[in-house]
Amino acid sequence: MSDNKPTQYGSLVDSDSNSSSNELEPLKSEEALGLNVDLENDDLKDLPKAVRETVPLTDDPNIPVLTFRYFVLSTLFIIPGAFIDTVNSFRTTSAAYSIFFVQIAAHWAGKWMAKTLPDRRINLGLFSFSLNPGPWSIKETALVTITAKSGATGNLATNALALVEIYFDTKVPAWVAIGFMWSIVFIGYSYAAIAKRVVSYDPQFQWPQSLMQTALLQSQKKADGTRRGGSQMRIFFICAVALFLWQMLPEYLFPMTSSVAFLCYMAPTNHAANFIGSGLGGMGLLNLSFDWANITSLVMLYPYWVQVIQFVGFIIGAWVLIPLAKWSSLFSFKHGLMSNRLFTNEGMLYPTDKLITSEGLFNKRAYEFYGPVHLGSQRAWNMFSDYAAYVSGVVWVVVFGWLRLRASFGGRKVTFNDRLNKLHRAYREVPGWWYSALFMVSVIFLTVIYRSGYLFMPWWSAVIALMVGSVIVTPLMWLYALSNFQLPIGTFNELLYGYLVQDLSVKHPAGAAFFGCVAGNAWYRSQYHLELMKLGFYNHIPPTLVFFSQIYGELIGVPINYLSFRWVMNSKWEYLTGVKTDPLHQWTAQSIVTYHTNAIQYVVLGPRRLFENYPWLPYGFLVGLAAPLVIFTLHKRFPASKLQFGLWNTTVFFSTVSHFYGNVSTGYFSKFLGGTVTMFYAYRYRNQVWRKYNYVVAAALDTGYNLALTFTFVLFTLGISAPVWYGNDPRSVERCFAL
């Protein structure tokens, strides 16, 4: 890319590379923005340009941050987010609770509280606090955002809990469920200490997500009291209201807009045309969606090169492999083409309950009677790509960043003397014993859960899960801190558990899911913790307050997760169990179905029987090993090529192909079109407008969606059903009547 054009977030390259793609490139030069930055200063020249342009280079440590206003707003913003994200895990498509909405709304609400609350001090004996310590600060906004991003999320344990309740008729007591949810989260926070020294303070680890949020925070700060600020807020509310009104169409009044299948309109009773064009049961070729749940604000957040790779991955998975599997001899098994369930040789649903005796043993006679378990074709290549993505993620980090990774693990403590690290030294660092104490408390509670009989796996396997998490957390954090790409690792963890227990005589099928919760959260929550630590670092918030705010967020959020989980189980039970079919194919709990499939194939059958039936699946590991090496060779051989081989991230590609579409292939074409408009055209050719409004509009659209989802939830709760008409045909909202 030439230096006179703004570029997207780059790829991972080693520190000796001259490629411009190893940094989050600046949108404009310091001179163009009128910034007086003296690069001759030693404490500035080590900071990447994007950081210098975005992050405040001065600080006032005396600004109050942990205030009464903070606690009120944090609690208010955690509750809806924890509910929405938990509900989303049971839906096929969804739009996440927007953290940008929290940033904007919390800043507005905080300024209102600063104007209206009395300046009164409350004395509670042991401590006292002021209701209104002065003007609202951007640091308070940042801390509310950090708390909400910690607590206003889903919890990986809800999938495991749903699995044992839906498929194994075991309802875990509330105290065990909530305790397990807290334990796996806090284990992840404690494991952040392992990778913290490597990725937190080196200025070259920019953490793009934290940098984007800082950009919005600082624009809010600069816009306070200005005409520009009023303009941004007007755009925010206009877009939020518009999306709320529009979203009532696909969610309630006009579901046809959720999946516009042009081929079905031309041939509504032709099976081939229906299958090719349908987004709700077919390939979704040229299918468009006007439902924000199928598009989401990621089209305004992900770098364009990531969106291109993801769209190519979708094309390979949905528009190439699916028709080959259906109409060619490439795949021998034709049943359950786009299903993640298990089948017999005749294409019937496999009676998996017959494979387990009443004593919890593997029923060999039943297996011999019903025959080998068959996967749907799409599910099979999903697994192959999943294995490739896991290995590719590690290899990519090693080959593209070996020099920097070797320096990080050199053993000696490195002191960084850039401006931000110097400002950071005004604050107390989080003591190491805080992380140790969090880990010990979590492990003790896991032990209690094991003794109560609800951990569903041997204790020694839980210890191995903790060991696996400790090994993988640093390389995956390294990858995320540079590229903003989070690699899913659940399937690999469950496969590993299958190998660990395949020779045991008694084993609970749900053990793989609970093993994955422990090992997976060691990475996922570590990433949350260090990402938000970096956000606090960029906005000059004391690290101890960031740590506290995340713990507070989880203490509020986890009980809401559990209550939301119970609401879904009680109100959507018939959809989740397959007794009834949701007309919009949303309440399918397909992630739970995947967990059940993994439980059968990895625990009940074991990897040995699985790979006997599908001997080509393990080659995914070999492909994941070779692909980054090929790309790295091309990158080194042709460093100045316009093809920019360093951006051909194989991990993103394999991870996209491994995604299970669950008979819902609509929205992906619309996503690519939206990303082309926002992250290519607007970013490159209307950059000033993009800088001013992109994140504000993204937050507004997600806000409007969340309001619409809440409103339709109330309508359906009151028994007010959507009208049946041409745009909401109960036979097929797409008018694909031959499927």
Side-chain angles (χ1 to χ4, degrees), residues 50-332:
V51 175
R52 293 197 302 267
E53 291 181 349
T54 304
V55 177
L57 301 176
T58 59
D59 179 35
D60 180 2
N62 297 315
I63 295 176
V65 181
L66 198 67
T67 63
F68 170 76
R69 302 174 302 205
Y70 153 79
F71 282 104
V72 172
L73 294 180
S74 295
T75 305
L76 290 177
F77 284 114
I78 286 171
I79 294 173
F83 169 78
I84 290 171
D85 266 21
T86 302
V87 168
N88 283 347
S89 65
F90 293 88
R91 290 170 57 90
T92 304
T93 61
S94 59
Y97 184 64
S98 174
I99 199 63
F100 294 107
F101 157 69
V102 173
Q103 284 185 222
I104 292 173
H107 192 64
W108 174 82
K111 291 195 296 182
W112 175 80
M113 293 179 74
K115 291 180 180 178
T116 57
L117 286 177
D119 183 10
R120 180 181 305 168
R121 193 151 197 91
I122 305 298
N123 193 334
L124 297 179
L126 295 178
F127 64 94
S128 63
F129 61 91
S130 173
L131 289 178
N132 195 352
W136 179 262
S137 72
I138 201 66
K139 289 190 178 187
E140 286 177 276
T141 303
L143 197 63
V144 171
T145 303
I146 289 170
T147 309
K149 196 165 183 177
S150 302
T153 62
N155 190 291
L156 194 59
T158 56
N159 293 321
L161 295 170
L163 171 69
V164 296
E165 187 163 341
I166 293 174
Y167 290 101
F168 303 110
D169 197 27
T170 302
K171 184 175 180 180
V172 177
W175 72 270
V176 173
I178 294 174
F180 181 70
M181 293 163 79
W182 269 329
S183 296
I184 61 175
V185 164
F186 292 146
I187 284 173
Y189 283 175
S190 66
Y191 272 34
I194 300 172
K196 185 177 180 181
R197 185 172 69 90
V198 178
V199 299
S200 289
Y201 301 122
D202 185 342
Q204 298 308 310
F205 288 93
Q206 298 179 37
W207 293 84
Q209 184 75 15
S210 296
L211 197 59
M212 285 191 292
Q213 289 179 244
T214 300
L216 181 57
L217 285 165
Q218 294 306 310
S219 69
Q220 289 175 272
K221 179 181 178 181
K222 295 173 183 177
D224 282 349
T226 66
R227 183 177 180 180
R228 181 188 177 196
S231 170
Q232 286 181 316
M233 287 299 98
R234 282 195 298 273
I235 291 295
F236 175 84
F237 287 115
I238 289 172
C239 291
V241 172
L243 199 282
F244 167 76
L245 296 175
W246 173 262
Q247 192 63 25
M248 296 304 298
L249 298 179
E251 287 284 342
Y252 187 69
L253 296 172
F254 196 1
M256 182 186 285
T257 58
S258 180
S259 181
V260 180
F262 295 107
L263 293 180
C264 290
Y265 299 162
M266 292 186 286
T269 58
N270 183 284
H271 176 78
N274 283 192
F275 182 80
I276 294 172
S278 173
L280 303 176
M283 293 164 46
L285 182 66
L286 302 181
N287 182 289
L288 290 176
S289 177
F290 299 97
D291 185 347
W292 192 247
N294 295 331
I295 300 172
T296 78
S297 61
L298 292 180
V299 300
M300 308 175 77
L301 303 180
Y302 270 8
Y304 188 60
W305 66 268
V306 171
Q307 298 193 49
V308 170
I309 294 174
Q310 289 182 323
F311 187 57
V312 171
F314 167 73
I315 290 175
I316 298 298
W319 294 357
V320 175
L321 291 178
I322 286 178
L324 286 176
K326 185 175 179 66
W327 288 304
S328 79
S329 59
L330 182 63
F331 294 87
S332 59

Side-chain angles (χ1 to χ4, degrees), residues 3 23-31 33 35 37 39 44-55 57 203-204 206 211 691:
D3 292 337
E23 293 184 354
L24 176 60
E25 291 292 338
L27 300 178
K28 295 290 181 182
S29 67
E30 290 90 342
E31 293 80 5
L33 292 173
L35 297 177
V37 178
L39 296 185
L44 290 178
K45 65 182 181 181
D46 289 337
L47 293 174
K49 288 183 178 181
V51 175
R52 293 197 302 267
E53 291 181 349
T54 304
V55 177
L57 301 176
Q204 298 308 310
Q206 298 179 37
L211 197 59
R691 286 174 61 91

Side-chain angles (χ1 to χ4, degrees), residues 379-588:
R379 173 62 181 162
W381 70 66
N382 286 159
M383 293 171 59
F384 179 91
S385 300
D386 215 354
Y387 301 156
Y390 189 90
V391 177
S392 172
V394 177
V395 176
W396 187 278
V397 170
V398 173
V399 298
F400 275 85
W402 170 248
L403 295 178
R404 188 181 298 169
L405 195 62
R406 184 178 62 181
S408 298
F409 283 102
R412 62 185 181 88
K413 184 177 181 180
V414 179
T415 301
F416 300 102
N417 291 311
D418 59 272
R419 177 73 60 83
L420 297 181
N421 273 287
K422 288 181 178 179
L423 293 173
H424 185 74
R425 289 170 195 154
Y427 302 108
R428 180 193 179 199
E429 190 54 78
V430 178
W433 70 266
W434 287 17
Y435 292 104
S436 300
L438 204 58
F439 175 76
M440 293 304 300
V441 170
S442 301
V443 170
I444 289 172
F445 206 90
L446 280 183
T447 306
V448 173
I449 294 173
Y450 169 74
R451 298 296 297 175
S452 69
Y454 289 104
L455 196 57
F456 302 102
M457 61 176 169
W459 179 245
W460 56 264
S461 67
V463 174
I464 293 178
L466 295 173
M467 295 171 60
V468 170
S470 68
V471 171
I472 201 66
V473 65
T474 299
L476 293 188
M477 199 76 71
W478 194 96
L479 173 65
Y480 184 82
L482 285 176
S483 71
N484 202 50
F485 181 76
Q486 177 177 289
L487 178 67
I489 60 175
T491 301
F492 179 83
N493 286 330
E494 293 170 13
L495 171 64
L496 174 61
Y497 180 79
Y499 273 115
L500 293 175
V501 302
Q502 68 177 344
D503 293 325
L504 296 183
S505 58
V506 179
K507 50 198 172 184
H508 196 289
F514 283 81
F515 180 91
C517 285
V518 177
N521 261 284
W523 145 238
Y524 294 130
R525 289 296 170 169
S526 295
Q527 172 246 305
Y528 266 88
H529 179 72
L530 291 187
E531 179 184 291
L532 295 177
M533 276 289 182
K534 193 68 173 185
L535 182 60
F537 177 85
Y538 279 154
N539 292 277
H540 311 306
I541 300 174
T544 52
L545 295 189
V546 176
F547 185 97
F548 168 82
S549 70
Q550 292 186 270
I551 300 300
Y552 177 74
E554 297 294 354
L555 291 177
I556 301 296
V558 163
I560 302 300
N561 292 146
Y562 178 75
L563 293 175
S564 305
F565 158 72
R566 288 263 44 100
W567 173 81
V568 172
M569 298 300 290
N570 294 335
S571 63
K572 305 296 181 182
W573 182 260
E574 291 182 322
Y575 291 151
L576 304 181
T577 56
V579 175
K580 291 184 179 179
T581 300
D582 178 20
L584 289 179
H585 296 255
Q586 289 298 327
W587 294 103
T588 58

